[in-house]
Amino acid sequence: MASTVGRTRTTRRWRARSGALVAIGALALAACGSPAAEPAPTVTERAEVVADKQAVPAPDVPPTWPLTGVAGVPDPRPAIAVKVENTSAARPQAGLEQADVVWETIVEFEVSRFVAVFHSQAPEEVGPIRSVRPMDPLIVAPLHGLFAFSGGQGGILDLVNASGVQVVSHDAGAPGLYRVSARRAPHNVYGSLSTWWGTAEAGRTAPPEQFAFARTAEQAAAATAGTPAGTLDLRLSGQSHPVWTWDAATGTWLRSEGAEPAVAAGGARLSAVNVVMITAAHPDTGFGAQGGAPVPTYELVGSGDAVVATGGRTVPVRWQKDAQDQPLRLLMPDGSDATLAPGNTWVELVPAGSGSLTVS
């Protein structure tokens, strides 16, 4: 019995010494080995790390008006395009100085007519308003808004009706169109934008951007890649000779009709931040005017040469329009958008082969 108790005590002392040796060995290995690893981050800590890596501040891009690129909260109302006369009997016109975009076209008898587009500003009166022409749907369809005019031939009206715009026709009795006593017919039809906006169909909302805009004038394509220019001398036809002169004091191009300064009815000089000059084929159509004179149009679905003028500089670009209801794009040689400066734009449609542009 005594020997059994002795063996038990011996065994316990041996196990205690063995445990102590193991503990000492473990501490020695820990001291001689590599540093202990840091505890793994918790789920919350890992989420914070990921969030820090992904937290890239969004660029501060203010909202802009779609047809001018000017900073501001755009009105949800639709754009309104108006067919405006440009003969000596029609000048000075009302409202052109407040248009976001003005397109100048050559119609029959080589005279010029405008398609003035309004969205960010609303003059009290626009006119004189004249009849539609075959090229108008190519200009107004991408706006998806309203188109006001005095009337038109049946076949041309069919083209306008098929373009998807809301038609506002004086001949059809649309509200907001009237004749003034200060001018003789047919140069005396005028209209009210506020009235037309009040008749806009459901679903007619703000237009999509028609051109690409830089955030500042200094970042526009002509400013960064163009060459200096002081005068844009256009010969659109034998009857149309618009000239644009750069005015550094106002930062705009000033318009003249030949040698005569172009002014609005209120006396303001007509001017543009951007002048876009599009060269396109200008064929006759099957429509005839008074005396059988052929009515022309422009071939604007396709591509061609163009010049953009901004900030006293010009840059050659390419224009491209993929379909009637698609905006006309302006492209640099590398295929990027030729950006315009924020502000109003005049588009000069130069007939290929017969029209010309001289930049000096």
Side-chain angles (χ1 to χ4, degrees), residues 188-212:
N188 63 348
V189 177
Y190 283 69
S192 166
L193 290 163
S194 60
T195 299
W196 300 331
W197 269 313
T199 66
E201 299 166 343
R204 300 283 179 185
T205 58
E209 191 176 75
Q210 300 295 293
F211 301 106

Side-chain angles (χ1 to χ4, degrees), residues 12-39:
R12 287 175 179 172
R13 286 195 296 269
W14 179 85
R15 288 177 177 172
R17 287 195 299 270
S18 297
L21 290 173
V22 169
I24 293 170
L27 290 173
L29 287 172
C32 298
S34 59
E38 295 182 1

Side-chain angles (χ1 to χ4, degrees), residues 106-113 131 133 289-290 293-296:
I106 298 300
V107 298
E108 67 276 6
F109 304 114
E110 298 191 333
V111 299
S112 159
R113 283 193 183 170
S131 54
R133 290 297 181 270
Q290 300 94 323
V295 177

Side-chain angles (χ1 to χ4, degrees), residues 234 276-281 299-300 302-308 315-321 328-331 333 347-353 357:
L234 293 123
V276 176
M277 292 146 284
I278 303 293
T279 299
E299 294 180 354
L300 291 180
S303 61
D305 295 327
V307 175
V308 171
V315 62
V317 300
R318 294 284 291 175
W319 65 265
Q320 179 178 315
K321 184 176 171 68
L328 185 148
R329 296 182 62 200
L330 303 170
L331 303 173
V347 182
E348 301 283 7
L349 291 179
V350 183
L357 164 64

Side-chain angles (χ1 to χ4, degrees), residues 81-87 89-90 107-109 111-115 126-133 136 147-152 157 168-171 177 179 184-191 290:
V82 187
K83 191 72 174 188
V84 178
E85 185 180 0
N86 187 38
T87 62
V107 298
E108 67 276 6
F109 304 114
V111 299
S112 159
R113 283 193 183 170
F114 300 137
V115 176
V126 180
I129 298 172
R130 294 300 298 271
S131 54
V132 291
R133 290 297 181 270
D136 295 340
F147 183 28
F149 50 87
S150 63
L157 287 173
V168 181
S169 170
H170 180 251
D171 286 357
L177 288 148
R179 293 189 183 273
R184 298 175 58 183
H187 317 291
N188 63 348
V189 177
Y190 283 69
Q290 300 94 323

Side-chain angles (χ1 to χ4, degrees), residues 39 50 72 98 101 162 180 182 190 291-293 295 297 317 322 325 333:
V50 172
Q98 291 184 267
V101 185
V180 299
Y190 283 69
V295 177
T297 189
V317 300
D322 297 330
D325 63 351

Side-chain angles (χ1 to χ4, degrees), residues 163-265:
S163 68
V165 299
Q166 179 179 335
V167 170
V168 181
S169 170
H170 180 251
D171 286 357
L177 288 148
Y178 49 85
R179 293 189 183 273
V180 299
S181 59
R183 293 181 184 266
R184 298 175 58 183
H187 317 291
N188 63 348
V189 177
Y190 283 69
S192 166
L193 290 163
S194 60
T195 299
W196 300 331
W197 269 313
T199 66
E201 299 166 343
R204 300 283 179 185
T205 58
E209 191 176 75
Q210 300 295 293
F211 301 106
F213 290 96
R215 294 190 64 183
T216 67
E218 294 74 20
Q219 295 171 318
T224 59
T227 56
T231 303
L232 315 171
D233 191 322
L234 293 123
R235 297 278 180 173
L236 302 184
S237 71
Q239 302 295 320
S240 180
H241 180 203
V243 178
W244 295 90
T245 305
W246 172 246
D247 181 48
T250 61
T252 63
W253 298 92
L254 303 180
R255 180 181 173 89
S256 297
E257 298 286 352
E260 189 72 20
V263 296

